[in-house]
Amino acid sequence: METSPSPRRRPNTRGQGELLREDIVSAAVRMLDELADDEALSLRAVAREVSIAATSVYLHFADRDALVLAAMRHCHEELVQAGDDAEAAHEGDPAAQLLGRLLAQLAWAEAHPGLYKVLHESKVHRRLGMPFKEVLVQRTTAAIQRCMDAGIAPDDDATTVAIDLRAAVNGMLSQRINEPGLHWPHAAKQVDRFLTRLVGLPPRP
Amino acid sequence: METSPSPRRRPNTRGQGELLREDIVSAAVRMLDELADDEALSLRAVAREVSIAATSVYLHFADRDALVLAAMRHCHEELVQAGDDAEAAHEGDPAAQLLGRLLAQLAWAEAHPGLYKVLHESKVHRRLGMPFKEVLVQRTTAAIQRCMDAGIAPDDDATTVAIDLRAAVNGMLSQRINEPGLHWPHAAKQVDRFLTRLVGLPPRP
DNA sequence: TGTACATCAGTGAACGCGCGTTCACTGATGTAC
DNA sequence: TGTACATCAGTGAACGCGCGTTCACTGATGTAC
């Protein structure tokens, strides 16, 4: 860590106080990605990163937990958006949409392994709850349901299939992130196997 | 936390110094299960739990990391043993052995969710490495290979199938542990689906 | 147009805490002569 | 049998650190009259 002299950021002009909030959240997000652990994020370190007094964080967040939650909400929105964009690119092809959604999430997770860990493996769930994450589950279930409705996947309980698929995909990401030293099979192919075997999509060429 | 007056344990008799080591490890294991996070385990808290001076931990461990590793090694051995015992109970039936091994690990994880997290999701891997964990992977792969050799599962690359299966099972455990609030499908049935769909075992009645 | 006042966007010092680790030590038990 | 000494199993005080949070404050900018 550099022990920079911290050149003190100058106050925002009147009415622009909310800009600091965004800077704090994005610093927190950046640091959480490096730390890969919500409990390791210190409010004082975030303040240092933004070059403000530690107390200034309290202008926008009630406490450390509120800051962590704001950061997680931000990440979740990014992750949902990435999936939605991928789906939009394959309008009318439910199988490609489901695959696209998964690959988008996979790419996001590989780009932000630390954030993925905090989002899925941290104790934020138990301490604070993250009900907004529900959306991600719903989107995946809906994508699977569309495959079934289109007759591309065998009819089944989409919710259960979604849970199984998410378990497998989360598990594969978790392993890659937590034990980066080992060598893992090609990610896209592994996702293909899961789609074929767990959802019942036809094998891709 | 109780702020007990800590009645100070009296020294072991001569030659029995190693007994303290075991007490320290088992206290660490207990606390790690509750904390579900290796970084949250403090050497001083462990000492308090065992009713010794903090400095006495250094009689047996070079530093905090060495203690954490010893605790993890202990857990891993328990987990392997649970799997081996389950297999031994189904000699001659490779499918039952594989299923038994998975269910044993599942039971262990549900009994010790915090330890499971530290073992699979903590940064101990990256900070210290846990090469001994290799054994667990090998055992699962071997169990799958036996199913293929016996013609119960379609011939395939056992290593890849093992990785997929482990991803799915780890993922399902991870979800249950990290988001205990949600309701998950029946665990044994979910394992059955994974065995049928990912390994290719015949569906069980 | 001038001025008192309110508001906004922050700051700085201080609090009490628990942490890992180092250091020199203590007191009981065994052992050599 | 007595005694000096070595060893074992631990202890207690102290170090410097970073943490979350509270408190009273400051200085610039706008606004009412």
Side-chain angles (χ1 to χ4, degrees), chain B residues 80-158:
Chain B
V80 169
Q81 191 61 54
D84 288 355
D85 289 350
E87 272 189 2
H90 298 281
E91 199 63 54
D93 182 347
Q97 286 187 316
L98 176 56
L99 176 63
R101 172 169 288 280
L102 292 184
L103 292 180
Q105 291 176 8
L106 195 136
W108 189 91
E110 292 194 325
H112 310 290
L115 293 174
Y116 184 87
K117 267 181 79 69
V118 180
L119 211 47
H120 287 90
E121 301 176 356
S122 75
K123 283 179 287 175
V124 178
H125 288 111
R126 322 184 68 142
R127 289 208 352 274
L128 315 173
M130 297 175 56
F132 50 83
K133 275 184 57 180
E134 179 67 16
V135 176
L136 208 53
V137 184
Q138 287 166 351
R139 292 282 213 282
T140 305
T141 308
I144 290 175
Q145 186 67 63
R146 280 197 304 274
C147 290
M148 293 177 180
D149 291 349
I152 305 168
D155 232 359
D156 200 341
D157 178 41

Side-chain angles (χ1 to χ4, degrees), chain A residues 75-133:
Chain A
C75 291
H76 178 261
E77 275 160 20
E78 248 186 56
L79 200 42
V80 169
Q81 191 60 54
D84 289 354
D85 289 349
E87 273 190 1
H90 297 282
E91 199 61 54
D93 183 347
Q97 286 189 315
L98 176 56
L99 176 63
R101 172 168 287 281
L102 292 184
L103 291 180
Q105 290 175 9
L106 194 136
W108 189 92
E110 292 193 324
H112 310 290
L115 292 174
Y116 184 88
K117 267 181 79 66
V118 179
L119 210 48
H120 287 90
E121 301 175 355
S122 76
K123 282 179 289 176
V124 178
H125 288 112
R126 321 185 67 144
R127 290 209 349 275
L128 315 173
M130 296 173 55
F132 50 83
K133 275 183 57 179

Side-chain angles (χ1 to χ4, degrees), chain A residues 11-194:
Chain A
N12 284 303
T13 58
R14 218 136 203 269
Q16 303 300 304
E18 287 301 308
L19 291 179
L20 178 54
R21 193 194 140 94
E22 291 166 32
D23 286 1
I24 293 172
V25 169
S26 71
V29 166
R30 232 163 30 235
M31 299 175 75
L32 280 170
D33 194 17
E34 268 181 26
L35 294 167
D37 178 7
D38 71 293
E39 316 221 47
L41 183 77
S42 103
L43 184 148
R44 295 179 99 115
V46 173
R48 248 176 270 134
E49 180 85 0
V50 188
S51 300
I52 54 170
T55 45
S56 301
V57 176
Y58 290 95
L59 295 171
H60 297 283
F61 301 96
D63 50 24
R64 209 199 60 114
D65 283 347
L67 170 55
V68 169
L69 261 192
M72 286 302 95
R73 190 170 268 115
H74 176 97
C75 291
H76 178 261
E77 275 160 20
E78 248 186 56
L79 200 42
V80 169
Q81 191 60 54
D84 289 354
D85 289 349
E87 273 190 1
H90 297 282
E91 199 61 54
D93 183 347
Q97 286 189 315
L98 176 56
L99 176 63
R101 172 168 287 281
L102 292 184
L103 291 180
Q105 290 175 9
L106 194 136
W108 189 92
E110 292 193 324
H112 310 290
L115 292 174
Y116 184 88
K117 267 181 79 66
V118 179
L119 210 48
H120 287 90
E121 301 175 355
S122 76
K123 282 179 289 176
V124 178
H125 288 112
R126 321 185 67 144
R127 290 209 349 275
L128 315 173
M130 296 173 55
F132 50 83
K133 275 183 57 179
E134 179 68 14
V135 176
L136 208 53
V137 184
Q138 287 166 349
R139 291 282 213 282
T140 305
T141 308
I144 290 175
Q145 186 66 62
R146 280 197 303 274
C147 289
M148 293 178 179
D149 292 347
I152 305 168
D155 231 0
D156 201 342
D157 179 40
T159 302
T160 303
V161 172
I163 287 174
D164 287 358
L165 179 61
R166 283 171 49 79
V169 173
N170 281 358
M172 96 179 228
L173 282 169
S174 173
Q175 290 175 326
R176 283 159 202 263
I177 290 171
N178 287 308
E179 301 177 80
L182 279 58
H183 49 79
W184 301 103
H186 186 269
K189 286 183 187 164
Q190 196 172 12
V191 170
D192 270 344
R193 285 198 298 279
F194 290 146

Side-chain angles (χ1 to χ4, degrees), chain B residues 183-194:
Chain B
H183 49 79
W184 301 103
H186 187 270
K189 287 184 186 164
Q190 195 172 13
V191 169
D192 270 344
R193 285 197 298 277
F194 290 146

